[in-house]
Amino acid sequence: GPELLSDLKPTRIILPLFSAEHDAMAVIEILEGLKFSGQITVIGPDLPRPRLVERELRAMGPGVRLSLISP
């Protein structure tokens, strides 16, 4: 939440593309709503078109502040 971001002041957040609790799109939406201005790194599985997924995630707001790592 906003308190945690304010207290920790992270410059980078690393998150999975998918997990049992959430997906990266939902977290990115929350981070953008909280005005997080740091780097976002998403770690995903082996994807057939990782650059397409990365473009979709970047279009949610973070732009070049977001990178997708996929083997």
Side-chain angles (χ1 to χ4, degrees):
E3 298 84 18
L4 186 59
L5 279 179
S6 178
D7 289 346
L8 297 177
K9 295 176 182 55
T11 58
R12 177 179 303 273
I13 292 180
I14 300 171
L15 59 129
L17 183 59
F18 303 108
S19 77
E21 296 84 32
H22 54 75
D23 64 32
M25 292 184 121
V27 176
I28 292 167
E29 186 174 57
I30 291 167
L31 290 171
E32 289 299 299
L34 294 172
K35 308 291 187 222
F36 175 69
S37 61
Q39 298 291 316
I40 300 171
T41 301
V42 178
I43 300 174
D46 190 14
L47 300 167
R49 297 182 67 193
R51 295 308 125 216
L52 178 64
V53 174
E54 185 176 57
R55 279 195 303 269
E56 266 188 59
L57 294 172
R58 285 180 171 189
M60 296 184 67
V64 296
R65 295 183 300 111
L66 183 138
S67 60
L68 172 68
I69 298 173
S70 175

